[in-house]
Amino acid sequence: MKFADLYDFQKKCEVKYKADKAKYEYKPFLISVLVSKKCLIEAADWLKRMGVSKPNVYPELTNISKSLTGEIRDFCEKQEVK
């Protein structure tokens, strides 16, 4: 019976250690923030004043967007030639 308690304690310690370690090793990628529609324009203005923009927050998404735009444009141009 004592070993079961010790085992449970050890497992709890391991879970806490891994959670603490993950806080420092991993960073969130995409974060969802909900903003009231009433505050949307004001929040956008604050972000602009702080210098926050989409390319600063998600630079890789901007690169993906540019790449997809180019692919779509090339596809449409090829369709017009036919």
Side-chain angles (χ1 to χ4, degrees), residues 28-35 57-58 61:
F29 175 62
L30 297 175
I31 299 173
S32 176
V33 178
L34 299 177
V35 179
V57 178
Y58 302 116
L61 293 180

Side-chain angles (χ1 to χ4, degrees), residues 9-22:
F9 176 74
Q10 180 182 3
K11 283 295 178 190
K12 288 179 184 176
C13 289
E14 287 176 8
V15 168
K16 183 175 178 355
Y17 170 77
K18 289 179 181 178
D20 290 343
K21 185 177 176 185

Side-chain angles (χ1 to χ4, degrees), residues 13-64:
C13 289
E14 287 176 8
V15 168
K16 183 175 178 355
Y17 170 77
K18 289 179 181 178
D20 290 343
K21 185 177 176 185
K23 286 180 186 176
Y24 297 104
E25 288 186 11
Y26 301 100
K27 300 293 179 198
F29 175 62
L30 297 175
I31 299 173
S32 176
V33 178
L34 299 177
V35 179
S36 167
K37 288 182 181 181
K38 295 177 184 176
C39 301
L40 192 60
I41 295 173
E42 188 177 358
D45 188 44
W46 289 348
L47 291 171
K48 285 180 191 174
R49 289 180 186 184
M50 290 187 301
V52 176
S53 65
K54 286 181 185 177
N56 291 346
V57 178
Y58 302 116
E60 191 55 37
L61 293 180
T62 302
N63 294 339
I64 292 169

